Amino acid sequence: MKNLRILNTREIKDITKRLKELYDDEEKLSYAFLMDGNDKIYLVSKEIELIDFEQLRINSMGLYFADINKYNELRLSIEGSQLIGPHAKKNVLELNEEQVRAYFRSEEISIDEKDTGFMLLKYKNDFFGASKIKDKKLLNYLPKVHRTKELIL
């Protein structure tokens, strides 16, 4: 785990406090939190402490949950939004089918709202990431590997 460090209790409390402020989420995440050198946060089982890493060569570990950007903002990954979304009570943006298709094609989506912080994106019962509205446009943080020309909903 040369590039990953285990977050301490204070750092985890900061993350859960941010989640509470952003999404009014009080869900207890019973995971160990790891952070890499690029400020990406990963979740792993707390039983990770039982593993002896001395003889292992590990490239990556855990579920990519979120990252902290250069403005010190917490942005949930697709998987992070799927964990937090069902418990979120605010800052959830529901998109219609046409908007979801456009989002996955990386097309510009106009939203008639003022600028926002990170909001969870939702279509019906599915969460698929976090984004911001800036200048009445939805910013697209979808990784290229998830983009598509045709989306089956």
Side-chain angles (χ1 to χ4, degrees), residues 93-108:
L93 180 63
E94 289 214 35
L95 300 180
N96 62 37
E97 185 175 335
E98 180 183 321
Q99 291 169 318
V100 171
R101 288 181 185 279
Y103 187 79
F104 276 86
R105 289 189 305 256
S106 294
E107 295 173 359
E108 192 172 273

Side-chain angles (χ1 to χ4, degrees), residues 60-78:
S60 64
M61 185 181 312
L63 174 78
Y64 172 44
F65 177 70
D67 65 26
I68 298 176
N69 67 18
K70 64 183 178 182
Y71 304 109
N72 201 29
E73 298 171 306
L74 181 74
R75 181 184 60 85
L76 293 176
S77 67
I78 294 171

Side-chain angles (χ1 to χ4, degrees), residues 75-91:
R75 181 184 60 85
L76 293 176
S77 67
I78 294 171
E79 296 80 8
S81 72
Q82 292 168 346
L83 280 172
I84 299 300
H87 310 285
K89 297 177 187 80
K90 67 180 187 180
N91 289 329

Side-chain angles (χ1 to χ4, degrees), residues 19-92:
L19 292 171
K20 170 74 174 146
E21 290 170 359
L22 279 170
Y23 307 114
D24 198 13
D25 172 61
E26 295 185 29
E27 182 71 12
K28 290 285 183 197
L29 297 172
S30 58
Y31 301 99
F33 288 68
L34 306 174
M35 183 178 280
D36 70 8
N38 296 323
D39 293 332
K40 289 186 175 187
I41 300 167
Y42 298 86
L43 301 181
V44 295
S45 169
K46 286 186 176 182
E47 293 161 357
I48 193 172
E49 65 189 29
L50 302 175
I51 299 172
D52 179 18
F53 290 100
E54 286 297 316
Q55 302 297 320
L56 300 176
R57 291 178 10 152
I58 298 172
N59 293 332
S60 64
M61 185 181 312
L63 174 78
Y64 172 44
F65 177 70
D67 65 26
I68 298 176
N69 67 18
K70 64 183 178 182
Y71 304 109
N72 201 29
E73 298 171 306
L74 181 74
R75 181 184 60 85
L76 293 176
S77 67
I78 294 171
E79 296 80 8
S81 72
Q82 292 168 346
L83 280 172
I84 299 300
H87 310 285
K89 297 177 187 80
K90 67 180 187 180
N91 289 329
V92 175

Side-chain angles (χ1 to χ4, degrees), residues 90-143:
K90 67 180 187 180
N91 289 329
V92 175
L93 180 63
E94 289 214 35
L95 300 180
N96 62 37
E97 185 175 335
E98 180 183 321
Q99 291 169 318
V100 171
R101 288 181 185 279
Y103 187 79
F104 276 86
R105 289 189 305 256
S106 294
E107 295 173 359
E108 192 172 273
I109 300 171
S110 296
I111 304 283
D112 196 25
E113 289 189 33
K114 61 183 180 188
D115 291 1
T116 64
F118 282 103
M119 303 176 72
L120 297 178
L121 301 178
K122 181 180 181 183
Y123 174 68
K124 295 186 179 178
N125 293 322
D126 297 320
F127 290 88
F128 56 93
S131 186
K132 290 180 171 186
I133 297 172
K134 185 168 178 150
D135 299 327
K136 298 198 180 238
K137 296 193 183 347
L138 186 66
L139 300 179
N140 195 323
Y141 290 93
L142 190 67

